[in-house]
Amino acid sequence: MESLPTALPSSAPLIVTATLPAALQGRAEGLRRAHFPPERNHLSAHVTLFHALPGFVLEEARQVLADLSRTRAAPVAQLDGLMDLGGGTALRIRSEALLDLRADIADRFHGLLTAQDQARPRLHVTVQNKVTRAEAKALQAELATQSWDAPFSFAGLALHHYRGGPWEAAGAWSFRGRG
Protein backbone atom coordinates (compact mmCIF):
# COMPACT_ATOMS: atom_id res chain seq x y z
CA MET A 1 0.00 0.00 0.00
CA GLU A 2 1.48 3.35 -0.95
CA SER A 3 -0.97 5.57 0.92
CA LEU A 4 -4.56 5.75 2.04
CA PRO A 5 -7.21 8.11 0.67
CA THR A 6 -7.15 11.64 1.97
CA ALA A 7 -9.26 12.03 5.09
CA LEU A 8 -10.75 15.12 6.66
CA PRO A 9 -8.25 17.20 8.64
CA SER A 10 -7.64 15.71 12.05
CA SER A 11 -6.38 16.98 15.35
CA ALA A 12 -5.26 13.44 16.28
CA PRO A 13 -1.48 13.27 16.66
CA LEU A 14 0.47 11.39 13.99
CA ILE A 15 2.92 8.62 14.80
CA VAL A 16 5.73 7.74 12.39
CA THR A 17 7.21 4.25 12.53
CA ALA A 18 9.86 2.27 10.67
CA THR A 19 8.64 -1.08 9.34
CA LEU A 20 10.60 -4.18 10.27
CA PRO A 21 11.47 -6.89 7.71
CA ALA A 22 9.06 -9.85 7.72
CA ALA A 23 11.27 -12.32 9.63
CA LEU A 24 12.07 -9.89 12.44
CA GLN A 25 8.46 -8.68 12.50
CA GLY A 26 7.30 -12.26 13.02
CA ARG A 27 9.81 -12.90 15.80
CA ALA A 28 8.88 -9.68 17.61
CA GLU A 29 5.14 -10.37 17.21
CA GLY A 30 5.60 -13.81 18.75
CA LEU A 31 7.37 -12.27 21.73
CA ARG A 32 4.66 -9.64 22.16
CA ARG A 33 1.90 -12.28 22.06
CA ALA A 34 3.74 -14.35 24.66
CA HIS A 35 4.88 -11.59 27.03
CA PHE A 36 2.89 -8.36 26.57
CA PRO A 37 -0.17 -8.06 28.84
CA PRO A 38 -2.99 -9.10 26.46
CA GLU A 39 -5.32 -6.29 27.58
CA ARG A 40 -2.65 -3.78 26.49
CA ASN A 41 -1.37 -5.48 23.33
CA HIS A 42 -3.30 -3.58 20.68
CA LEU A 43 -0.42 -2.78 18.31
CA SER A 44 1.88 -4.69 16.02
CA ALA A 45 5.59 -4.70 16.79
CA HIS A 46 7.09 -1.43 15.57
CA VAL A 47 9.97 1.04 15.84
CA THR A 48 8.65 4.50 16.70
CA LEU A 49 10.45 7.44 15.04
CA PHE A 50 8.02 10.22 16.07
CA HIS A 51 5.39 9.99 18.79
CA ALA A 52 3.20 13.02 18.07
CA LEU A 53 3.44 15.08 14.89
CA PRO A 54 0.49 17.49 14.80
CA GLY A 55 -2.50 16.11 12.91
CA PHE A 56 -2.75 19.14 10.64
CA VAL A 57 0.48 18.10 8.84
CA LEU A 58 -1.09 14.84 7.62
CA GLU A 59 -0.76 15.52 3.90
CA GLU A 60 2.74 16.98 4.24
CA ALA A 61 3.82 14.00 6.35
CA ARG A 62 2.46 11.59 3.72
CA GLN A 63 4.39 13.42 1.01
CA VAL A 64 7.63 13.52 3.01
CA LEU A 65 7.47 9.81 3.86
CA ALA A 66 6.54 8.87 0.28
CA ASP A 67 9.43 10.93 -1.12
CA LEU A 68 11.98 9.53 1.34
CA SER A 69 10.92 5.92 0.86
CA ARG A 70 10.98 6.30 -2.93
CA THR A 71 14.46 7.83 -3.04
CA ARG A 72 16.27 6.17 -0.12
CA ALA A 73 17.63 2.69 0.12
CA ALA A 74 16.38 0.58 2.98
CA PRO A 75 18.33 1.68 6.08
CA VAL A 76 20.65 -1.02 7.35
CA ALA A 77 20.43 -1.87 11.02
CA GLN A 78 21.69 -4.23 13.66
CA LEU A 79 19.61 -6.02 16.26
CA ASP A 80 21.82 -5.31 19.25
CA GLY A 81 20.65 -7.24 22.28
CA LEU A 82 18.01 -6.47 24.85
CA MET A 83 16.91 -3.20 26.43
CA ASP A 84 15.65 -3.02 30.01
CA LEU A 85 12.60 -0.75 30.16
CA GLY A 86 12.15 -1.07 33.92
CA GLY A 87 8.63 -2.48 33.69
CA GLY A 88 9.28 -4.15 30.37
CA THR A 89 11.70 -5.45 27.78
CA ALA A 90 12.65 -4.38 24.27
CA LEU A 91 14.93 -5.45 21.46
CA ARG A 92 17.66 -2.79 21.03
CA ILE A 93 18.41 -1.61 17.49
CA ARG A 94 21.41 0.28 16.15
CA SER A 95 21.00 2.12 12.84
CA GLU A 96 22.82 5.32 11.98
CA ALA A 97 21.13 5.21 8.56
CA LEU A 98 17.66 5.26 10.14
CA LEU A 99 18.68 7.98 12.58
CA ASP A 100 19.96 10.07 9.64
CA LEU A 101 16.66 9.58 7.80
CA ARG A 102 14.79 10.51 10.99
CA ALA A 103 16.88 13.69 11.29
CA ASP A 104 15.81 14.65 7.76
CA ILE A 105 12.15 14.19 8.74
CA ALA A 106 12.72 16.23 11.92
CA ASP A 107 14.21 19.05 9.83
CA ARG A 108 11.08 19.11 7.68
CA PHE A 109 8.88 19.51 10.77
CA HIS A 110 11.16 21.84 12.73
CA GLY A 111 9.16 23.98 15.13
CA LEU A 112 6.32 21.45 15.30
CA LEU A 113 8.02 18.69 17.29
CA THR A 114 7.22 17.86 20.90
CA ALA A 115 10.10 17.79 23.40
CA GLN A 116 10.05 13.98 23.21
CA ASP A 117 10.30 14.07 19.40
CA GLN A 118 13.12 16.61 19.45
CA ALA A 119 15.33 14.18 21.38
CA ARG A 120 17.43 11.52 19.65
CA PRO A 121 15.54 8.24 20.11
CA ARG A 122 16.86 4.96 21.46
CA LEU A 123 15.70 2.70 18.65
CA HIS A 124 13.94 -0.42 19.90
CA VAL A 125 11.00 -2.80 19.54
CA THR A 126 9.01 -3.21 22.76
CA VAL A 127 8.10 -6.85 23.37
CA GLN A 128 6.87 -6.45 26.96
CA ASN A 129 5.59 -3.41 28.85
CA LYS A 130 3.58 -2.43 31.94
CA VAL A 131 4.59 -5.53 33.91
CA THR A 132 6.20 -5.88 37.31
CA ARG A 133 9.93 -5.43 37.63
CA ALA A 134 10.23 -9.11 38.54
CA GLU A 135 8.38 -10.19 35.36
CA ALA A 136 10.61 -7.96 33.23
CA LYS A 137 13.80 -9.28 34.82
CA ALA A 138 12.60 -12.87 34.36
CA LEU A 139 11.95 -12.34 30.64
CA GLN A 140 15.31 -10.62 30.20
CA ALA A 141 17.06 -13.56 31.87
CA GLU A 142 15.18 -16.00 29.62
CA LEU A 143 15.90 -14.03 26.43
CA ALA A 144 19.55 -13.47 27.36
CA THR A 145 20.19 -17.11 26.44
CA GLN A 146 19.19 -16.41 22.81
CA SER A 147 21.06 -14.60 20.06
CA TRP A 148 19.93 -10.99 19.61
CA ASP A 149 22.71 -9.77 17.33
CA ALA A 150 21.61 -9.80 13.71
CA PRO A 151 21.90 -7.42 10.76
CA PHE A 152 18.79 -6.43 8.81
CA SER A 153 17.33 -3.64 6.70
CA PHE A 154 14.14 -1.77 7.47
CA ALA A 155 11.32 -2.45 5.00
CA GLY A 156 9.59 0.94 4.97
CA LEU A 157 7.91 3.76 6.82
CA ALA A 158 4.38 3.99 8.19
CA LEU A 159 2.14 6.78 9.44
CA HIS A 160 -0.63 6.36 12.02
CA HIS A 161 -3.30 8.47 13.71
CA TYR A 162 -3.33 8.22 17.51
CA ARG A 163 -6.86 8.49 18.85
CA GLY A 164 -6.35 7.07 22.35
CA GLY A 165 -6.55 3.38 21.50
CA PRO A 166 -5.25 1.19 18.73
CA TRP A 167 -3.57 3.25 16.03
CA GLU A 168 -5.40 4.03 12.79
CA ALA A 169 -3.36 3.57 9.61
CA ALA A 170 -2.70 6.77 7.66
CA GLY A 171 -0.20 5.40 5.12
CA ALA A 172 2.66 2.97 4.51
CA TRP A 173 5.55 3.13 2.07
CA SER A 174 8.26 0.60 1.16
CA PHE A 175 11.85 1.69 0.62
CA ARG A 176 12.61 1.61 -3.12
CA GLY A 177 15.74 3.73 -3.51
CA ARG A 178 19.10 2.35 -4.53
CA GLY A 179 21.96 1.96 -2.10
Side-chain angles (χ1 to χ4, degrees):
M1 166 176 80
E2 287 302 308
S3 66
L4 298 177
T6 303
L8 295 174
S10 171
S11 61
L14 300 169
I15 301 165
V16 178
T17 61
T19 308
L20 298 167
L24 181 52
Q25 182 72 31
R27 190 175 185 191
E29 287 293 331
L31 289 168
R32 283 178 70 92
R33 279 191 303 277
H35 303 289
F36 212 99
E39 68 278 4
R40 296 180 181 275
N41 192 13
H42 303 293
L43 304 173
S44 297
H46 60 277
V47 176
T48 302
L49 299 179
F50 294 92
H51 294 86
L53 293 178
F56 67 82
V57 302
L58 174 63
E59 291 310 317
E60 183 179 358
R62 284 178 170 158
Q63 189 61 56
V64 167
L65 299 179
D67 290 347
L68 288 172
S69 63
R70 184 181 64 252
T71 60
R72 298 277 182 101
V76 296
Q78 177 79 26
L79 195 58
D80 191 33
L82 302 173
M83 182 182 289
D84 184 347
L85 301 177
T89 303
L91 307 178
R92 180 182 300 115
I93 296 173
R94 280 189 296 120
S95 179
E96 287 305 316
L98 185 63
L99 290 172
D100 289 346
L101 182 143
R102 185 196 178 280
D104 289 345
I105 298 169
D107 285 346
R108 289 290 298 266
F109 294 105
H110 177 76
L112 299 175
L113 300 179
T114 63
Q116 181 180 25
D117 284 341
Q118 290 176 38
R120 181 179 170 103
R122 297 179 312 151
L123 300 175
H124 65 279
V125 179
T126 303
V127 296
Q128 176 194 52
N129 205 7
K130 309 281 192 220
V131 299
T132 67
R133 184 74 182 124
E135 289 173 298
K137 294 294 273 182
L139 178 59
Q140 291 159 26
E142 176 188 329
L143 296 180
T145 65
Q146 301 176 28
S147 174
W148 297 103
D149 299 322
F152 68 93
S153 295
F154 283 96
L157 298 170
L159 185 65
H160 317 269
H161 295 280
Y162 177 72
R163 301 188 196 281
W167 299 349
E168 178 186 318
W173 301 267
S174 297
F175 288 111
R176 300 187 327 223
R178 298 177 195 250

